[in-house]
Amino acid sequence: MSGRPVLIELDKVTKKYEQARGSVFALRNISLKILQGEFIIILGPSGSGKTTMLNLISGMDRPTEGDIIFDRQSILGLSEEKLAEMRRKKIGFVFQFFNLIDNMTALENVMVPLLPEDLSEREMIRKAEDKLDLVDMFDKRDRFPNQLSGGEQQRVAIARALVNDPDVIIADEPTAQLDPDNTRKVLDILKKLNRMNGVTVIIATNDEELVRLSRDVITKEVRLKDGQIQGLRESSQGRSWSEVELG
Amino acid sequence: MPSFRILAKGFSLAIRAKKRSGAFVILFIVITGWLILQLAILDAYDTDRILDARGVILEPSHELNAASAYESINEIYDAVKNEISGLYIVYYVEVYPGQLGLITVKSRGKGKPEHIPWVLDLVKPTRIVNGRAINGRGEGLINVNALINYSIPGGIQIIQSAKLGDYITLQQGNKKVDIRIVGMYNASIVSYSKIAKGTENLLYVSWEDFEYFVEDIWPSPADNAEKADYVFVRRIILIAGGDYFSGKALTNVESIRISLTQNPIAPFSVTLWGGVDQSIYVSDWFRTVVLLLGAIILGGIYSFLLIRYKKKEIATLRAIGWRGKDVLIFLLGELIFVTIVGFIVGLLGVSAFSTISNLPPISFNTIGITFIVILAAILFGYYYIWRGILRISPMEAFRRE
C-alpha cells in the first residue's frame, strides 16, 4: 500500500467557524494522507467533524489553516470553477439521503454529472447504462426515484457517482437510511469498486457495524472526536492492523 | 451544446413537475392573456376607438365638391390646428351613376398615416366582416353583397357581384387601375348611407389609387384631385391631439366642438364627437401597469419557489461539479418553459376569443410589449435564481433533512 501515490493530503488542516459566541473549531490541526486505491472509514459521533472533513477534501469548503493537496495540486489556489471541474471529473459523491432528482428517471439521474460535458447523447447514455449495469440497476433505468426502494436509490446514486470514472468516491453515511440487507449490497458494490477498479473510497459514518462489515477492505480507520483525530489504524486491506502514533 | 442540453433538461423537468409548473403555467396564461387584453384596450384608444376617444366629425349640409370645399377645409384646419393631431377628409367620386363610387381618406396638414385605416368607422379593420383591411395600392374594400348593375345601350343590364379576391378594373384608353377586393365591410351602418348618398356600392381604395383615377383615368382629368369639381367631400374627421392621461385629449375635443359649433365654417357642421373621461383612461392604464408588474413579479415568485423547492437539488448539482452557470441554465429552462407556454397559450386564447367576440384588436405592438414583459419576468427570475444559486453552498448536499 505504501508504494501507491498519494491522492489526497491534508496538511495541518484547521477549520473554524466564527459565531456570535466566539470561534467554533470543526477540525483542529488534521494531517492525513490518502493513497490511491485506499478504502478509508472516517468514524465519529455526530458533530465530530466528519462532514467538514469531506467538505474540505472535495473542495466545497476551504480550510482556515493548513493546506489540502488533491492529486498533487493545492486546492487553496483553485477558483470555484476549477474546483467544480475537479469534483465533476475526479470525485464521485454518495449521500446519506441519496439526493436523486425526483423528476428524472434512474438513467437520467446517472447522466446528470455528464450533462455539462461535451459528449454526445448516445455516449452519455452508454456510460450511464454501463454504470447502472455495474450496480445491478440496468433493468430499472426508466423508473423514477419514488418507484425505487431506498437501497435501489442508493445504488443509482452510486452509479451517478461513478459515471465520470472518478479517482475517489466520497460517501457520507451511505447506509444510514438502509436496512441491513441493502447496507450489505451497497457496501459490496463499494468494496468491489475499490478492489476491482482501484477506486479510492472514503466513507464517513458513525456506524460501527459498517466498520465491521468493511473490515476486509479497510486500509485506514480514522476516528474523529471534537474535530481531532483520536485514533488512526492502518491495515493492508484487512490484514495486519497497526495503530498509527499521532503526532 | 451542453448548455442547450441542460436547458432542454430544464424544459423537460418543467413538463414533468406538473403540479408545480402546471399551476404557474395557468397563472401565466391568465396574467399574459389579461395583459394582452388590457394592452389591446389601451392600444384601441388610438386605433379602433379613436373616433369615440378623440374624434370630431363634420359633415356638409349639402352636396359639396372638392373644389368648393377646399378653402373651407383650410379654414377649419386653421381654426383648430392647435387642438388636433390630424384632419382627415373622406372623398367620393362616382364611377357608374348610382351603382359604384370610389371613396378614400386623405389627411390634410398634420395627420398620421397610422390613423387613416381607423378614422372612417365604415371601413376600419374591426368592421371588416370578410377578408382584411387594405394594405396600400391595388387593394380595395367593398360592401358585403355588392351588386353592380350596369345598363348598356339597347336596354341590356349586366348585374355583377363583387366577391373577395375579385378584381375591379377602372380603365380609360390605355390607363387603368386594377383593384383587388381584399375585404368586405358591413353596409348597414349609418355612415354608409351618409357617405354613399344613394350610390349602391362603395369601393374603398387608397388615396394613391383614388388620385390616379381622378387625375389620370377620368374622362377630363383634374390637375389636383383635392380641387376637382367632380370629387365630393362627404366627411371631415378631426382627431384631437393631447394625451389621455392628463385629460388634454378630452379638453381638446371639447374645445374643437365648441369652436366649430359656435363659429361654424359653412357648409360643415359638427355631427358627432367623442371624448374619453380621463379617469377611465387612467384606470385602464393603471390596470395595465399592475398586470405588467404582476407578470414580472410572478416570474420572481416562481423563481423564489424554484430556489426554495430545489435547494437540495441545487446543492447536489453544485456538489457533483456543476458550475453555477450550469445550474442557472437548468433552472432557467423551467422558468422559460413556464413563462413562454403561458405567453403562447394566453396569446392564442385571447386571439381566438377576440375573433368571436367584440374585443379590441390585438396589434403586433401589443404582442411585442407582452413578449418584452415576459422577457422581463424571465430576467427578473434570472437575477433571483442566480442570487439563490450563489447563496446555496454545495455543502448543503450533505446536510441532514
Side-chain angles (χ1 to χ4, degrees):
Chain A
M1 182 62 64
S2 57
R4 295 184 188 183
V6 176
L7 181 66
I8 302 162
E9 183 177 356
L10 284 80
D11 183 22
K12 294 176 187 152
V13 168
T14 293
K15 180 68 191 179
K16 90 180 159 184
Y17 295 102
E18 297 299 336
Q19 291 185 345
R21 286 175 294 177
S23 299
V24 175
F25 284 85
L27 287 179
R28 269 178 210 266
N29 200 30
I30 300 279
S31 289
L32 182 69
K33 281 183 182 171
I34 299 168
L35 308 182
Q36 230 161 47
E38 280 205 278
F39 195 107
I40 295 182
I41 298 266
I42 301 167
L43 198 65
S46 180
S48 60
K50 302 186 300 288
T51 304
T52 305
M53 201 164 174
L54 298 187
N55 286 334
L56 291 170
I57 289 172
S58 56
M60 290 191 216
D61 203 359
R62 293 173 192 266
T64 315
E65 287 169 30
D67 197 2
I68 295 163
I69 315 292
F70 194 108
D71 203 12
R72 289 165 293 176
Q73 188 174 25
S74 168
I75 67 165
L76 293 185
L78 296 179
S79 64
E80 286 301 320
E81 187 130 332
K82 284 279 175 202
L83 287 170
E85 190 185 343
M86 180 189 88
R87 287 198 294 274
R88 194 168 69 246
K89 294 193 166 161
K90 296 184 176 177
I91 305 174
F93 290 92
V94 179
F95 305 97
Q96 179 181 349
F97 295 95
F98 328 128
N99 295 19
L100 297 176
I101 296 174
D102 294 340
N103 290 311
M104 285 188 184
T105 63
L107 180 69
E108 288 169 327
N109 263 291
V110 177
M111 283 163 65
V112 164
L114 301 173
L115 290 177
E117 302 288 343
D118 201 6
L119 292 173
S120 69
E121 185 85 6
R122 184 182 290 186
E123 180 73 356
M124 287 198 302
I125 291 171
R126 189 191 62 76
K127 281 186 167 219
E129 285 182 341
D130 276 357
K131 301 307 175 194
L132 280 170
D133 195 30
L134 196 71
V135 297
D136 205 18
M137 285 296 293
F138 182 82
D139 292 343
K140 294 182 178 175
R141 63 190 183 282
D142 293 327
R143 295 205 186 167
F144 289 92
N146 62 4
Q147 297 168 322
L148 299 171
S149 70
E152 288 171 333
Q153 287 188 54
Q154 195 59 303
R155 276 147 64 194
V156 171
I158 292 172
R160 179 180 66 186
L162 291 172
V163 77
N164 263 334
D165 298 314
D167 297 332
V168 57
I169 286 185
I170 291 177
D172 185 33
E173 306 277 12
T175 57
Q177 302 301 311
L178 307 181
D179 58 43
D181 188 39
N182 276 309
T183 295
R184 209 165 288 117
K185 278 184 186 167
V186 164
L187 213 49
D188 284 346
I189 292 168
L190 293 173
K191 285 178 186 179
K192 191 169 117 186
L193 287 167
N194 176 253
R195 274 186 182 150
M196 312 286 282
N197 302 37
V199 178
T200 307
V201 177
I202 304 170
I203 299 175
T205 184
N206 60 9
D207 182 8
E208 293 284 353
E209 178 64 7
L210 192 80
V211 181
R212 195 185 64 75
L213 290 170
S214 315
R215 192 66 78 193
D216 54 333
V217 286
I218 293 176
T219 56
K220 272 195 189 92
E221 183 187 307
V222 182
R223 285 183 183 267
L224 281 182
K225 193 179 176 197
D226 298 330
Q228 290 180 297
I229 296 180
Q230 292 285 301
L232 175 62
R233 294 174 75 197
E234 283 186 349
S235 148
S236 177
Q237 296 217 317
R239 297 182 295 276
S240 63
W241 283 92
S242 60
E243 294 288 341
V244 177
E245 206 162 306
L246 300 170
Chain B
M1 184 66 178
S3 298
F4 180 74
R5 195 161 49 210
I6 290 170
L7 189 72
K9 193 56 82 181
F11 280 6
S12 72
L13 285 204
I15 296 168
R16 287 177 193 173
K18 290 185 194 78
K19 274 187 193 160
R20 187 183 63 246
S21 58
F24 272 87
V25 165
I26 290 168
L27 284 172
F28 270 106
I29 289 171
V30 171
I31 206 159
T32 51
W34 197 355
L35 178 62
I36 288 167
L37 191 60
Q38 204 56 47
L39 283 166
I41 287 171
L42 280 188
D43 204 28
Y45 279 99
D46 283 311
T47 55
D48 191 39
R49 292 184 59 210
I50 195 165
L51 281 175
D52 302 335
R54 52 167 84 219
V56 177
I57 294 175
L58 307 174
E59 280 166 319
S61 54
H62 55 82
E63 187 70 310
L64 187 69
N65 66 35
S68 320
Y70 194 83
E71 284 310 319
S72 300
I73 294 170
N74 284 348
E75 273 183 62
I76 290 168
Y77 181 76
D78 288 340
V80 296
K81 65 182 174 193
N82 293 328
E83 284 87 32
I84 61 169
S85 68
L87 180 152
Y88 306 88
I89 307 151
V90 179
Y91 288 113
Y92 168 87
V93 65
E94 190 170 70
V95 176
Y96 192 85
Q99 286 301 308
L100 181 66
L102 287 189
I103 55 167
T104 192
V105 174
K106 168 78 169 68
S107 70
R108 187 174 299 179
K110 46 187 173 179
K112 295 177 179 170
E114 67 268 25
H115 283 168
I116 286 179
W118 299 99
V119 292
L120 180 56
D121 56 347
L122 180 65
V123 292
K124 66 180 181 177
T126 44
R127 286 266 189 213
I128 295 168
V129 290
N130 199 359
R132 58 167 174 83
I134 67 165
N135 198 12
R137 295 197 71 165
E139 295 186 341
L141 301 175
I142 202 159
N143 42 298
V144 172
N145 302 325
L147 277 180
I148 306 162
N149 190 339
Y150 304 92
S151 299
I152 58 171
I156 295 170
Q157 286 192 309
I158 300 170
I159 300 168
Q160 174 71 55
S161 66
K163 299 184 296 298
L164 210 60
D166 286 352
Y167 278 88
I168 294 179
T169 299
L170 307 172
Q171 187 167 358
Q172 166 88 315
N174 59 357
K175 291 185 174 174
K176 65 169 186 172
V177 59
D178 293 313
I179 305 294
R180 188 165 68 96
I181 308 297
V182 297
M184 308 188 101
Y185 60 86
N186 191 345
S188 63
I189 69 167
V190 179
S191 281
Y192 184 80
S193 54
K194 286 191 169 187
I195 290 164
K197 290 190 189 297
T199 303
E200 293 292 331
N201 306 287
L202 289 182
L203 179 62
Y204 174 77
V205 294
S206 68
W207 165 251
E208 290 78 11
D209 283 335
F210 186 93
E211 190 180 33
Y212 181 71
F213 176 74
V214 169
E215 293 180 8
D216 292 86
I217 298 175
W218 191 264
S220 49
D223 291 338
N224 183 348
E226 288 186 90
K227 291 181 177 173
D229 56 7
Y230 49 89
V231 170
F232 297 92
V233 174
R234 292 278 160 95
R235 179 177 283 183
I236 294 171
I237 301 145
L238 301 169
I239 299 297
D243 63 296
Y244 298 109
F245 207 76
S246 65
K248 189 74 179 159
L250 180 63
T251 312
N252 281 338
V253 168
E254 282 301 298
S255 170
I256 294 165
R257 183 182 68 81
I258 291 165
S259 164
L260 295 176
T261 307
Q262 290 178 350
N263 306 299
I265 295 166
F268 293 100
S269 60
V270 175
T271 59
L272 205 67
W273 65 93
V276 163
D277 191 336
Q278 176 192 8
S279 64
I280 294 172
Y281 181 79
V282 170
S283 67
D284 275 340
W285 193 87
F286 182 72
R287 256 196 300 275
T288 308
V289 171
V290 167
L291 285 167
L292 197 142
L293 291 175
I296 295 172
I297 290 167
L298 192 60
I301 292 171
Y302 187 69
S303 305
F304 168 77
L305 291 177
L306 215 52
I307 289 285
R308 196 183 158 97
Y309 180 78
K310 289 180 172 271
K311 195 172 174 182
K312 191 92 177 183
E313 208 168 280
I314 293 165
T316 304
L317 291 171
R318 297 199 70 195
I320 65 175
W322 279 34
R323 292 159 299 185
K325 72 169 190 183
D326 297 326
V327 183
L328 175 70
I329 292 168
F330 181 61
L331 296 181
L332 272 183
E334 277 208 37
L335 178 64
I336 290 170
F337 177 84
V338 167
T339 50
I340 297 294
V341 168
F343 168 70
I344 292 170
V345 177
L347 175 63
L348 292 176
V350 174
S351 302
F353 197 58
S354 73
T355 55
I356 55 169
S357 64
N358 201 21
L359 290 176
I362 297 160
S363 68
F364 284 114
N365 277 352
T366 295
I367 296 169
I369 292 170
T370 311
F371 187 69
I372 288 168
V373 170
I374 290 300
L375 289 183
I378 292 171
L379 206 64
F380 184 52
Y382 165 95
Y383 167 74
Y384 203 91
I385 289 170
W386 183 240
R387 270 187 47 188
I389 290 168
L390 293 182
R391 280 183 187 172
I392 297 170
S393 162
M395 292 187 286
E396 299 272 346
F398 284 130
R399 193 146 289 173
R400 313 289 181 256
E401 284 168 351

